[in-house]
Amino acid sequence: MEYFILGISFAIGILLVLLLGWVFSLKTKGLMRLLFNSLAGIILLLCFALFKIVYVPLNPLNALLVGFLGAPGLGLVVIITIFL
């Protein structure tokens, strides 16, 4: 189990480094789109918390994942929350 968690941590770290590299290579229009999508993601997460569908912690990483990936990102955040 320790190795699984360690592997997941490394995978998340690598994905974050790739995501940061991609974000810094964007132009202003792309950054505004990413910011808008992240705000939409946090609103979606707030709706989940408000209606108590499932408890999902509200933090910038979750908002970014949901905003960047959309509905699959929400599913990913919910699955990660359930299993961790």
Side-chain angles (χ1 to χ4, degrees):
M1 189 68 168
E2 279 182 40
Y3 295 114
F4 179 72
I5 293 173
L6 185 64
I8 296 280
S9 299
F10 275 118
I12 290 173
I14 289 170
L15 288 174
L16 284 175
V17 167
L18 290 174
L19 181 68
L20 283 175
W22 177 75
V23 166
F24 286 125
S25 70
L26 290 177
K27 304 266 190 247
T28 305
K29 182 179 177 184
L31 287 174
M32 289 299 163
R33 181 173 164 232
L34 186 64
L35 178 66
F36 176 74
N37 287 343
S38 295
L39 289 175
I42 196 77
I43 289 171
L44 192 58
L45 288 173
L46 281 171
C47 288
F48 262 58
L50 180 67
F51 296 117
K52 298 185 193 304
I53 297 169
V54 77
Y55 173 72
V56 179
L58 301 174
N59 57 36
L61 178 64
N62 288 348
L64 189 63
L65 278 173
V66 174
F68 183 68
L69 296 174
L74 179 62
L76 178 69
V77 169
V78 168
I79 289 171
I80 289 173
T81 303
I82 290 171
F83 287 116
L84 294 179

